[in-house]
Each structure stands twice: as C-alpha cells, then as structure tokens.
Amino acid sequence: MFHPVSILVPLLILLPNLLFFKFEPQNMPDKTSRNLFFTGAEFIGRMGVIMVPLFYSLHVHNGFEVLALTVMLLSLGIYYYGWGRYFRNGRPYRLLFTPLLGIPVPLALSPVLYFLSASVLLHSGYLLIFSLILGAGHIPASLRDYQRNA
C-alpha cells in the first residue's frame, strides 16, 4: 500500500540533485570510463531507495528508531551542507567528492547512511538491501572520481 508521508524519505535526498541537473558543475572532466559493476549497482540501488520507501510507513516509537532518526537527520544535514558548499563555491566538479569535516566523499556516504537509517524507521529489509547495493556502487565510484580529479 502506498504511504504518502514516506515520499519525504527519497524526496529530501533528491532535492539537491534536481538543482544539479539545472546547474551543472564547472570544470567537469572529459567523459571517463566507469566500472560497469559500480555503475550497475549504483543504478539499481538508486531505483530501489527511491521506490521502496513509498510502500512503507514511518515508525518512531522506541529508542532504536529515535537513534535511527537522529542518524538520518545528521546525515541529511551533512548532505545539504556538502551541496551548499558546492553551490556557494561556484559548482566546481571536484567539490562533489572532496572530503567534508573529515568525511571522505560525503555526497556519496551521507545518502547511503541516510537510507540505511531510513530502513530502520520504515522497518524495511528491502530498503536495507537497496541501500547496501547503492553503497556498493556509489561510494567506490565516487572515490574513484575523487582520486582522478583531486
């Protein structure tokens, strides 16, 4: 069954990405070959973390769920801070991957942590699986981009 409130889970992560398509990065490198495994995992994970939350309701009743909500909000804050840094500084491509507050590839790690935490609030094993698949593709691909463009 569709749960309208749960649309907020993927929407909060997608908002900065929508701006990214309108305001593309500056100094973007030429197209480079990407690892097919990472690209595929990233795509499958993204589709899953966007679609799965729509079919689960949020639960914040016990201490473990409150902790998951706290981690979710902290990772969302880091994600927005990273995107804010990117837009404030003229949208250089390298800032999409540059460490922030000691966190490597924060714009890859924070959404994965966000969705992992959301899987607890939604009581969704499927979201947990898709979050891990997203992490298996998005984090290594972002690390490779960072190393190539540092």
Side-chain angles (χ1 to χ4, degrees):
M1 180 155 78
F2 178 71
H3 292 274
V5 173
S6 297
I7 199 167
L8 288 174
V9 172
L11 184 64
L12 290 173
I13 287 290
L14 288 174
L15 288 175
N17 291 283
L18 296 174
L19 289 173
F20 175 78
F21 289 114
K22 174 115 172 100
F23 303 104
E24 291 184 0
Q26 303 298 316
N27 308 324
M28 196 158 166
D30 295 332
K31 292 274 184 188
T32 56
S33 64
R34 297 199 68 184
N35 181 297
L36 188 59
F37 173 79
F38 295 149
T39 303
E42 197 172 11
F43 178 78
I44 291 167
R46 277 189 182 141
M47 293 302 105
V49 299
I50 290 169
M51 299 303 293
V52 168
L54 306 178
F55 301 99
Y56 289 86
S57 61
L58 289 165
H59 302 276
V60 186
H61 303 295
N62 62 46
F64 194 62
E65 292 165 344
V66 170
L67 177 62
L69 177 62
T70 303
V71 171
M72 195 174 159
L73 294 174
L74 284 171
S75 58
L76 185 64
I78 291 168
Y79 189 65
Y80 282 176
Y81 189 83
W83 276 107
R85 173 182 72 167
Y86 165 77
F87 284 111
R88 275 191 318 276
N89 290 296
R91 303 185 326 269
Y93 182 77
R94 66 176 172 72
L95 280 184
L96 294 171
F97 310 101
T98 302
L100 174 68
L101 306 171
I103 302 167
V105 291
L107 294 180
L109 281 171
S110 55
V112 171
L113 186 56
Y114 172 86
F115 286 116
L116 286 169
S117 300
S119 73
V120 173
L121 294 180
L122 295 169
H123 296 216
S124 173
Y126 291 116
L127 184 57
L128 174 66
I129 291 166
F130 281 114
S131 299
L132 292 171
I133 293 169
L134 174 65
H138 195 40
I139 293 168
S142 295
L143 283 168
R144 287 183 69 173
D145 278 341
Y146 173 64
Q147 291 165 348
R148 252 183 285 182
N149 298 295

